[in-house]
Amino acid sequence: MNSKTGKLQKAIGELAKDILNRKSEENLDTITNYSEYLELSLGTIQKALKELTDIKVIDLKKKGKYGTAIESIDYKKLLQVLKVDYLLCVMPITYSQRYKKIMDNIANSLKIPIPLYFSHMRGGYVRLKLIEEGVYHFGVVSKLAAQNAIDSGFNLEIIEEFGARTYVTKHVILKRKNCKVVNVGKDPESNDHIFLTDFNFQKNENTKFIDIKYLEVIENLINEKIDAAIWNYDDVLDKMIHLEKHGIMIEELTENEGNLLATESVIVIRKDNDVIKNIFKKFFDKGKFKLID
């Protein structure tokens, strides 16, 4: 790619980002202003605008001394120019009805002219790392996991928050009846499970933490590998008889800020990904994201 071609492609890309933030009937900025802040020649800006109109990304209407207005925008073509042919969201494994509802709510709230795909993966740390690396465009995690990752240096940003009890209703402790709690299960790949376990068992000096997989908590309790573990209450409801049969009881957690943060769902993107941030500003209707009962 020669220098002239590179500058033209830069102009096309930057103008496309600018147009994504605008709407029909709105005026474009002046060619002079685009030239100055993009540090490109007037001719390059004019060629870039002509290219975008030639491929029908936008239709423009000149208004004389009142500038140039956007008559229409083809958002599918605009996103293709921005090299966004689809969106890929990473979520927890949908082992509970709540996570399935979250996925449906996102699909209903994000009305984009390109395909939206979902990938499901256990381990909040891994999901956040892959968002940071650009493997996924955005992801759904708890606010607790997102804040902990950002505080630890992850180049991430929360762009949508949905309030307490939208990720899970609450967390509880599952424990074996008539048993002194010594061995506590903890999933080393789950940010939430690590924090909640450390936070809610930190006062017991005799506690030993045993690495387990979150989805195998009940199995490990039955096999007596562990005495207790934090668990998602939403996934307990259909297992009450099974838990009672195996002598496993439920204990409530204290309702405090840390425990509540683990119940709130948020959408996270890589911090420097302005295109995805602006896609959400343009196409995400938060009003259609219903808080989950």
Side-chain angles (χ1 to χ4, degrees):
M1 182 184 294
N2 61 41
S3 176
K4 288 184 179 180
T5 302
K7 289 179 179 179
L8 179 59
Q9 291 305 312
K10 176 186 174 182
I12 291 171
E14 293 300 321
L15 288 174
K17 290 178 185 177
D18 180 77
I19 291 165
L20 183 60
N21 288 322
R22 300 180 186 272
K23 55 188 177 183
S24 295
E25 306 304 323
E26 184 179 346
N27 272 19
L28 284 176
D29 205 344
T30 67
I31 290 178
T32 301
N33 284 346
Y34 283 130
S35 174
E36 288 179 356
Y37 76 75
L38 293 178
E39 297 181 341
L40 295 169
S41 70
L42 296 173
T44 300
I45 300 299
Q46 289 172 328
K47 286 179 182 178
L49 281 174
K50 184 176 185 305
E51 176 71 16
L52 290 170
T53 55
D54 285 350
I55 62 177
K56 304 299 183 184
V57 170
I58 51 172
D59 286 321
L60 298 177
K61 182 180 180 180
K62 293 185 177 180
K63 297 163 60 179
K65 64 179 181 179
Y66 298 107
T68 301
I70 301 170
E71 202 162 41
S72 65
I73 303 171
D74 186 322
Y75 285 106
K76 184 175 182 178
K77 289 181 179 179
L78 180 64
L79 292 175
Q80 287 173 343
V81 169
L82 291 168
K83 304 187 185 306
V84 183
D85 297 316
Y86 58 87
L87 287 185
L88 186 54
C89 170
V90 64
M91 288 190 57
I93 295 172
T94 53
Y95 62 85
S96 74
Q97 286 299 315
R98 180 168 294 253
Y99 289 151
K100 292 175 184 176
K101 288 179 181 178
I102 291 173
M103 182 176 70
D104 290 342
N105 269 279
I106 290 173
N108 291 333
S109 304
L110 188 58
K111 294 304 182 184
I112 49 175
I114 54 176
L116 170 62
Y117 301 110
F118 292 91
S119 178
H120 304 277
M121 182 181 300
R122 67 177 290 269
Y125 175 85
V126 176
R127 294 198 303 275
L128 290 164
K129 191 67 178 172
L130 291 174
I131 295 168
E132 183 185 45
E133 292 174 357
V135 176
Y136 298 101
H137 295 108
F138 68 99
V140 179
V141 296
S142 74
K143 188 172 183 178
L144 176 66
Q147 285 190 345
N148 283 345
I150 292 168
D151 290 345
S152 67
F154 276 55
N155 186 36
L156 298 170
E157 179 179 358
I158 297 172
I159 59 169
E160 295 289 350
E161 304 179 21
F162 302 105
R165 309 191 192 288
T166 55
Y167 194 65
V168 300
T169 303
K170 60 182 177 180
H171 290 89
V172 294
I173 297 174
L174 297 186
K175 58 191 297 186
R176 294 196 292 121
K177 289 182 180 177
N178 305 317
C179 170
K180 181 181 179 181
V181 174
V182 176
N183 296 319
V184 175
K186 180 165 66 172
D187 187 341
E189 294 184 12
S190 169
N191 304 56
D192 288 347
H193 209 243
I194 291 169
F195 175 87
L196 291 172
T197 302
D198 290 345
F199 184 74
N200 289 284
F201 288 94
Q202 63 184 344
K203 295 178 182 178
N204 190 341
E205 295 178 357
N206 297 319
T207 298
K208 296 179 182 177
F209 294 122
I210 308 298
D211 286 352
I212 60 168
K213 292 182 179 179
Y214 182 76
L215 294 178
E216 297 174 0
V217 163
I218 294 176
E219 177 185 337
N220 282 293
L221 284 166
I222 293 172
N223 294 337
E224 300 185 7
K225 180 179 178 180
I226 60 173
D227 304 317
I230 302 291
W231 188 252
N232 172 7
Y233 180 73
D234 302 309
D235 201 41
V236 168
L237 298 176
D238 62 348
K239 297 178 176 64
M240 292 294 194
I241 296 175
H242 183 64
L243 296 177
E244 181 66 28
K245 176 183 175 182
H246 291 282
I248 299 171
M249 61 181 288
I250 299 170
E251 183 177 299
E252 296 284 336
L253 293 180
T254 303
E255 190 165 286
N256 53 48
E257 183 180 1
N259 290 335
L260 274 177
L261 283 176
T263 73
E264 179 173 358
S265 58
V266 298
I267 291 177
V268 176
I269 65 169
R270 194 172 65 191
K271 192 172 184 179
D272 59 359
N273 200 336
D274 291 335
V275 170
I276 300 302
K277 186 188 301 185
N278 288 328
I279 285 173
F280 268 84
K281 286 180 181 177
K282 176 72 67 174
F283 297 108
F284 189 74
D285 184 352
K286 192 172 182 178
K288 289 184 178 179
F289 192 100
K290 305 299 181 184
L291 296 183
I292 297 167
D293 302 326

